[in-house]
Every structure is written in C-alpha cells, then in structure tokens.
C-alpha cells in the first residue's frame, strides 16, 4: 500500500499547495491513502468545515488535528458528522469527535489512522501511550486492518521516538507533527514501522513556524504583547512523508516529501516510473 502523510497545513499558502498539488500527486504516485494534518489550516488556528471538505475533495482520506483542534469553534459541531476528521485521542472523555478513524481505500483495504498528543511541553492530557495501546488492542495490524498510521502531535523529539519504539512492528507509520520543521531521521525501525520525528509544515518557510515573521520577532525582542499572529503568505513547501507497506502492513520504503517553496526539494523516487528498473 502507498501512504502519504502531509504535515501541518498553515493558512492560505498551505491550503493552496494542497489544492494545487494533491490531485496530481495522488494519481502520479498511485497513492492508496492520504492523511493531512489540518490543525493550522484556518488562518493558522484550527480548521473550518469548508476547508475540511476542500481537503477531502482534493483527495485526502483522513484529516488529523492537534492542540489547535477546536480553535475554530465550528469544529466542535462538524467533527461529529465528519468521521474522516479526527482530533487527538487522549482528550478528556466527552470531547466531541473521535481520536481514530478506520478508512477504507479504493481497493477495499482498511487503514486505521490515530491522532494523539504528546505531554512534554504540552498541556496535561491523558497518557498517549496507554490511549494508543487501547486502540491497537481493538484494531490490531494484519487482523482488523491493513495499515496503521499514528500522527503523534508533540513538541519533544524524545517522546515521539520513545513512542515509535514502543509500537515498532505493530504500526505501519509513526509520524510526528506540531513543530513545523521537517526532520532528517526518516527510517524503518528494526521491527518494520516507518518513522519520522516531524513531517514539517506545509506552509511558507520564510516565516517563524509558518507565521509572518514580523510579529514573533517583535515579541521575542521586546517581550511586549502586540498584534495578532498571521500566517506568512509566500509560496508554501508541501512537506510530508511517503511510505510503502507490505502484505503485513509493515513498511518496506520510506521517503520524505518536500515540494515547492523555499526548501530543498525531495520526493519518493521509488514511485517515479523513470527510476524503476
Ligand atoms: Fe500543534
């Protein structure tokens, strides 16, 4: 199975990259399942129903969120009628929406997508390790589904790496989100789980983590409250990670994706027909 995870889409620039590139990538790479982190898609804070619909119409199969899940209040309502939009699993019980979704691909394969929040340098929440274990026990890889993707939305690399080793061999992909900076540690762990500490953001990298740089620079220098943070408006780099899995749902290939904008470009050349022998 061919999976693509796209990291945190930031504002209008990030949305434009998704709408422009995703249909083409889905067809060119014969993608079976596309997951997008959309928690910053609406002006940098949260997601609206129309943006969620646009992403699904562009080819996304599932949209994950994070600590900004409900910054747009309308998400509290529409998440209850959109099963392909999920919020972190370890929010308190009673939080609207679900933390996991079982997505069926066009070929009829089932992909379990889980979104969970880390706890290091983040708000206090339920234990993400135990929360994911409960999901995996209900829907184990190879028995109840053909692939499992965990979007671990967290600040600390150590927490993401420890989590990935705990579930290594039981999950197809663990990918980090939230820091908005892509890491260079994409790999297949010893027991077959693909891993990348952070997919990076889909936004303008001439910025401070996707936001127009003037306001955060001013805040760091003066320490005084100022105006609202606004997303940077230059061309976005679409960032993510591409994974191919085998019949057991474990990873056989992993590659970072960086397309457009300012960052050095990279893509999974093993899906480029010109590179096939
Ligand atoms: Fe976040």
């Amino acid at each position: 199975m061919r999976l693509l995870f796209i990291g945190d889409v930031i504002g209008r620039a990030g949305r434009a990259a998704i709408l422009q590139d995703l249909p083409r990538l889905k067809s060119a790479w014969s993608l079976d399942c596309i997951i997008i982190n959309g928690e910053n898609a609406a002006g940098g804070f949260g997601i609206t129903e129309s943006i969620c619909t646009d992403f699904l119409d562009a080819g996304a199969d599932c949209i994950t969120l994070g600590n900004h899940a409900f910054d747009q209040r309308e998400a509290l309502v529409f998440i209850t009628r959109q099963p392909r939009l999920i919020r972190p699993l370890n929010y308190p019980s009673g939080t609207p929406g679900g933390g996991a979704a079982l997505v069926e691909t066009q070929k009829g394969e089932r992909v379990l997508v889980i979104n969970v929040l880390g706890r290091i340098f983040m708000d206090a929440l339920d234990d993400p390790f135990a929360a994911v274990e409960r999901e995996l026990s209900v829907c184990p890889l190879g028995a109840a589904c053909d692939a499992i993707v965990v979007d671990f939305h967290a600040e600390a690399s150590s927490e993401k790496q420890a989590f990935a080793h705990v579930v290594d061999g039981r999950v197809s992909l663990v990918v980090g989100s939230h820091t908005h900076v892509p890491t260079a540690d994409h790999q297949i762990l010893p027991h077959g789980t693909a891993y990348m500490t952070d997919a990076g953001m889909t936004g303008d990298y001439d910025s401070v983590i996707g936001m127009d740089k003037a306001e955060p620079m001013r805040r760091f220098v003066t320490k005084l409250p100022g105006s609202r943070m606004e997303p940077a408006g230059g061309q976005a780099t679409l960032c993510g990670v591409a994974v191919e899995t085998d019949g057991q749902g474990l990873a056989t290939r992993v590659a970072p994706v960086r397309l457009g904008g300012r960052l050095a470009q990279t893509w999974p050349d093993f899906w480029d027909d010109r590179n096939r022998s």
Side-chain angles (χ1 to χ4, degrees), residues 8 37 39-40 65-68 117 122 153-154 177-180:
D8 314 27
N37 184 297
E39 74 141 6
N40 305 110
L65 295 168
N67 54 310
H68 291 291
L117 272 171
M122 309 282 285
H153 196 80
S177 58
H178 178 69
T179 73
H180 296 185

Side-chain angles (χ1 to χ4, degrees), residues 46-266:
I47 189 167
T48 64
E49 185 164 25
S50 71
I51 292 171
C52 180
T53 303
D54 284 348
F55 288 175
L56 295 171
D57 289 348
D61 296 283
C62 187
I63 295 161
T64 57
L65 295 168
N67 54 310
H68 291 291
F70 298 116
D71 284 5
Q72 303 293 325
R73 298 294 173 85
E74 65 176 89
L76 289 162
V77 176
F78 77 81
I79 197 170
T80 62
R81 58 175 180 257
Q82 179 46 267
R84 292 198 284 164
L85 174 68
I86 59 174
R87 46 75 173 168
L89 181 66
N90 50 339
Y91 272 154
S93 64
T95 302
L102 192 60
V103 173
E104 189 167 324
T105 70
Q106 281 188 336
K107 293 176 188 159
E109 295 168 306
R110 294 152 304 167
V111 181
L112 177 66
V113 183
I114 300 173
N115 185 200
V116 71
L117 272 171
R119 294 191 295 186
I120 308 296
F121 311 127
M122 309 282 285
D123 285 348
L125 282 170
D126 292 349
D127 178 0
F129 291 77
V132 172
E133 289 296 349
R134 283 193 293 273
E135 290 298 316
L136 298 182
S137 68
V138 173
C139 190
L141 183 62
C145 59
D146 303 291
I148 300 177
V149 176
V150 180
D151 170 3
F152 200 100
H153 196 80
E155 197 77 60
S157 304
S158 59
E159 191 178 19
K160 300 181 196 184
Q161 291 182 357
F163 172 82
H165 287 296
V166 167
V167 298
D168 182 19
R170 298 186 288 145
V171 162
S172 313
L173 166 66
V174 173
V175 57
S177 58
H178 178 69
T179 73
H180 296 185
V181 179
T183 58
D185 62 340
H186 56 280
Q187 59 178 303
I188 298 173
L189 299 176
H191 301 292
T193 294
Y195 176 71
M196 185 172 178
T197 295
D198 206 295
M201 66 171 177
T202 295
D204 175 8
Y205 279 80
D206 180 17
S207 68
V208 175
I209 62 170
M211 293 298 175
D212 185 279
K213 59 195 176 188
E215 176 61 17
M217 287 164 66
R218 199 192 60 74
R219 288 190 196 182
F220 275 110
V221 171
T222 69
K223 292 293 176 192
L224 296 173
S227 54
R228 208 180 124 81
M229 297 272 197
E230 298 286 350
Q235 192 194 9
T237 303
L238 187 152
C239 281
V241 59
V243 176
E244 191 162 300
T245 60
D246 62 16
Q248 277 72 51
L250 294 175
T252 53
R253 304 173 193 258
V254 61
V257 175
R258 296 191 298 271
L259 297 172
R262 304 174 63 82
L263 298 191
Q265 307 289 288
T266 186

